[in-house]
Amino acid sequence: MSAVLADFPVLTPVTDEDLALAVHAVCGHAPKRGPQGELCRSERVPYPCRLARWARTTIHAAGLTEEQLGEST
């Protein structure tokens, strides 16, 4: 069961396609306030969901900072 819940692997070097998918995932899997706390807007599970974690890790592996990420979204 732990393999099912483990984070997605981040492949390096990060390709342009991976980076584009990661930026898209960050936008779609954003936090949303719910009665139980922050939930993933897309999956309705506790935020950050697996895809949001993968996206942020991939973006950081590509060498981008949080400030640069905020400018691009």
Side-chain angles (χ1 to χ4, degrees):
M1 182 67 140
S2 63
V4 172
L5 301 176
D7 283 348
F8 298 118
V10 174
L11 305 175
T12 53
V14 177
T15 65
D16 290 343
E17 183 179 3
D18 290 338
L19 188 55
L21 289 171
V23 170
H24 184 72
V26 165
C27 294
H29 293 261
K32 180 179 179 180
R33 286 299 234 174
Q36 299 87 13
E38 283 192 335
L39 299 175
C40 171
R41 182 174 63 196
S42 180
E43 296 184 28
R44 311 278 193 281
V45 298
Y47 182 81
C49 66
R50 288 175 63 195
L51 193 54
R53 291 192 306 267
W54 170 83
R56 292 240 180 234
T57 305
T58 298
I59 289 166
H60 291 149
L64 295 174
T65 64
E66 289 293 324
E67 293 79 26
Q68 292 169 319
L69 178 61
E71 293 170 4
S72 66
T73 56

